[in-house]
Amino acid sequence: VQLQASGGGLVQAGGSLRLSCVASGNIVGFTGMGWYRLAPGKEREMVAIDSDEDIAKYADFVEGRFTIIRDNALSTVHLEMNSLKVEDTAVYYCNAYRRGPSGRKYDYWGQGTQVTVSS
C-alpha cells in the first residue's frame, strides 16, 4: 500500500487548504482513512478519521474548522481546512488502516505534507 499526500503549503492565518491523499497498491478493504499531524516539539496527534467503525472523528482542536472527506471508490481521503491558525503548522500525514479478523489494526502511512500557517 502506498499513500500519496499532497496539498500542503504556506498560508496566512485565517486561510484555507485542502489536503488530498490517494492510496494505491493493495487498497481493498480499508477500514478507515484519516489524517494525523506532527508539529515541532510535539507528539504525533490525530486530526480526523473517517472509518467504517464509527462516525467521523475530529480532534478537539479542530473546533469545526476541518472536514474530512473519504471516497472509498477512489481510495482517497481529503481534509478541507478552514480558518487555519498558526498552531496548525505541522507535517500532516495520511493514514489508512485495516482491522483484521482478530481485531488487530494494520496501519499504513503516507510521506507527509507540510502545512505552514503564518501570522
Side-chain angles (χ1 to χ4, degrees), residues 40-116:
K42 295 186 177 181
E43 295 186 352
R44 185 177 65 192
E45 56 187 352
M46 185 274 288
V47 178
I49 297 173
D50 186 293
S51 77
D52 301 335
E53 301 175 305
D54 204 345
I55 60 173
K57 293 184 178 180
Y58 295 90
D60 290 342
F61 61 76
V62 169
E63 299 175 322
R65 300 177 295 128
F66 300 172
T67 302
I68 187 169
I69 303 167
R70 178 184 169 205
D71 187 327
N72 287 334
L74 298 177
S75 295
T76 61
V77 64
H78 307 281
L79 185 68
E80 294 187 346
M81 304 188 293
N82 299 309
S83 303
L84 283 162
K85 304 176 181 179
V86 172
E87 50 264 42
D88 292 320
T89 296
V91 178
Y92 284 70
Y93 294 90
C94 174
N95 168 273
Y97 74 93
R98 294 188 176 100
R99 186 80 66 183
S102 64
R104 179 180 174 180
K105 186 169 179 273
Y106 298 84
D107 282 295
Y108 306 92
W109 295 95
Q111 85 286 5
T113 184
Q114 176 71 46
V115 171
T116 303

